Amino acid sequence: MIVSFHVTHSSVGADTIGEIIPSLDKNANEFVRSQPFISEYVILKTCNRFEIYTACCDNDTATKAFEYFARSNIPYAKNDGTWYTLTDEASIKHLFRVTCGLDSLVVG
């Protein structure tokens, strides 16, 4: 099972993302490593996105954990689209779009 967590220029805006990434980046490794249901992970970080892709044994638990992580590390975060999670096929599809440059602030 795969769950990914995303905060991007699309979800918060290019002006705001720079304020959010440092807090997420500071706490992400420790948070993910402390989750017993996550067996593997990778963090993808650029100036316009912060994403965590995980292999886990329970998508629902991972999704709830990422909601907690967001609320703890994004000062004004509500479930208003500031962050989002994707699971399984949607997560993989998104990752391929990112690696191909199709989900960039400037496409390509």
Side-chain angles (χ1 to χ4, degrees):
M1 303 178 127
I2 298 171
V3 175
S4 56
F5 168 81
H6 308 266
V7 177
T8 72
H9 59 89
S10 300
S11 64
V12 296
D15 295 337
T16 307
I17 191 84
E19 299 170 14
I20 296 172
I21 288 177
S23 176
L24 296 173
D25 190 33
K26 178 182 173 186
N27 299 309
N29 275 314
E30 183 180 336
F31 173 78
V32 175
R33 287 181 181 163
S34 71
Q35 305 306 311
F37 49 85
I38 294 176
S39 58
E40 300 175 54
Y41 72 98
V42 65
I43 296 174
L44 178 85
K45 179 182 67 164
T46 71
C47 56
N48 291 315
R49 75 178 59 250
F50 187 90
E51 300 179 339
I52 305 171
Y53 293 83
T54 64
C56 60
C57 61
D58 184 347
N59 283 0
D60 291 335
T61 302
T63 299
K64 289 175 186 169
F66 280 128
E67 180 175 345
Y68 171 80
F69 175 71
R71 290 182 188 277
S72 300
N73 290 282
I74 303 173
Y76 47 84
K78 299 176 182 148
N79 199 0
D80 62 357
T82 302
W83 78 89
Y84 60 95
T85 57
L86 299 171
T87 59
D88 300 325
E89 188 176 320
S91 183
I92 295 167
K93 182 178 179 180
H94 178 77
L95 179 59
F96 278 103
R97 288 184 53 80
V98 169
T99 59
C100 292
L102 297 175
D103 189 53
S104 297
L105 186 60
V106 177
V107 177

